[in-house]
Amino acid sequence: MSAQVLVLGPSGRMGRAVIEAAAGRKDVSIAAAVDRKDAENLGALVAPGVAATTELAAGLVACDVYIDFTTPVATGVAANAARASKCAAVIGTTGLSGSEEAAIAALAEVAPVVVAANFSLGVNLLLGLVQQAARALGDEWDAEVIETHHHAKRDAPSGTALMIARAIAAGHGVDYDTVKRHTRDGDVGPRPRGEIGVSTIRGGDVVGEHTAMFFGSAERIEISHRATSRLIFAAGALRAAAWVVGKPPGRYDMLDVLGFSHR
Ligand code: NAD
């Protein structure tokens, strides 16, 4: 049996990629598509036999799992609505606030939920490599993260850059919030040892590029990932959707889906 999937935001860049990537897969089937009230595609077919609607509650009841790449506000609304039907969820929206994280936590009490700021296999492997490098090098090597995305991206730094920075902090054995530096401007003084900087570049149609940099004395290590198609994130999200249906309630991440032991 294939998992019946509700796609949120089928008119969006990622919503379209999820629908495209689902074509031909046997483990998932697009069964409903729900967009915002003023979306231009309402009523139009977005997948075989599936028209975009605004009927969120009905769609959640009809499906096994919903896939959400929308906006933080829409993600909070959907997580609250999904509690009633205990619908499983795959959430990729980034830039979430505390109240939206709380809505996801409440949903995870009654349904299985996969949350990932990046659904690509490569980035999830990179997180492990970065943490290993940070542990081996220690904070004598200055660690910085640079990310580049298309000019329509709203949140900064990217959710993936924050995951990479947190992996460095974990490798150093420190609390990320005590060492983070997201912007530098003006007379910021010498770089404190152990600081972890994250820099943001926006432009053009870049799908997503991340580099972790470790600066030693007269040498430097860079570990990079470049995504050239949103289909890798969509394929990862669909894999997560097929995986999460039937799991016990709780919050999972992409490492759980990929079967990498990390707990
Ligand atoms: P986008 O602006 O192209 O699409 C957003 C979609 O959400 C639109 O279709 C919009 O109509 C829809 N939407 C807004 N409010 C809605 C509502 N109330 N109900 C239903 N749909 C609603 O954005 P995008 O580039 O597709 O990115 C979406 C999100 O996914 C961003 O937060 C982005 O950072 C994130 N993202 C995550 C990954 C990952 O791997 N986790 C990869 C790429 C993008």
Side-chain angles (χ1 to χ4, degrees):
M1 268 292 283
S2 66
Q4 302 296 295
V5 176
L6 161 64
V7 178
L8 278 185
S11 63
R13 280 174 287 265
M14 277 306 302
R16 290 196 305 268
V18 166
I19 291 168
E20 183 182 343
R25 283 184 77 124
K26 292 197 169 55
D27 56 347
V28 289
S29 167
I30 305 298
V34 174
D35 219 315
R36 61 180 207 281
K37 289 187 170 45
D38 55 348
E40 286 177 5
N41 64 343
L42 292 181
L45 284 183
V46 293
V50 177
T53 74
T54 56
E55 305 296 323
L56 178 59
L60 288 168
V61 169
C63 292
D64 301 313
V65 54
Y66 73 92
I67 298 182
D68 179 351
F69 291 95
T70 57
T71 65
V73 171
T75 293
V77 169
N80 283 327
R83 259 177 82 80
S85 51
K86 299 184 180 172
C87 189
V90 172
I91 299 173
T93 308
T94 57
L96 301 173
S97 70
S99 67
E100 291 137 8
E101 287 285 2
I104 293 172
L107 176 59
E109 286 172 11
V110 298
V113 181
V114 178
V115 186
N118 196 301
F119 280 95
S120 90
L121 173 63
V123 157
N124 283 281
L125 279 173
L126 176 138
L127 290 173
L129 297 174
V130 162
Q131 186 168 336
Q132 214 179 335
R135 188 180 301 123
L137 298 170
D139 69 5
E140 276 173 39
W141 289 56
D142 297 331
E144 296 277 318
V145 180
I146 298 183
E147 59 104 341
T148 308
H149 281 85
H150 57 91
H151 55 212
K153 184 167 176 61
R154 303 179 72 103
D155 55 312
S158 70
T160 303
L162 295 176
M163 285 201 300
I164 294 170
R166 288 184 189 283
I168 293 169
H172 287 172
V174 297
D175 174 5
Y176 176 60
D177 290 326
T178 64
V179 293
K180 70 180 181 184
R181 169 72 82 149
H182 288 181
T183 52
R184 292 189 182 95
D185 186 21
D187 184 6
V188 297
R191 184 188 197 283
R193 180 169 165 174
E195 184 170 87
I196 299 174
V198 182
S199 303
T200 295
I201 296 172
R202 291 286 174 267
D205 59 358
V206 178
V207 172
E209 299 184 359
H210 295 86
T211 298
M213 307 167 92
F214 297 92
F215 298 85
S217 178
E219 57 182 330
R220 181 200 308 182
I221 296 171
E222 297 186 3
I223 306 175
S224 294
H225 180 268
R226 291 189 176 84
T228 55
S229 166
R230 288 183 178 81
L231 287 173
I232 58 166
F233 308 128
L238 289 165
R239 181 168 169 171
W243 178 88
V244 78
V245 174
K247 290 282 181 298
R251 178 173 170 142
Y252 302 91
D253 62 24
M254 206 46 197
L255 296 180
D256 297 312
V257 175
L258 295 169
F260 299 157
S261 142
H262 71 111
R263 291 186 197 274

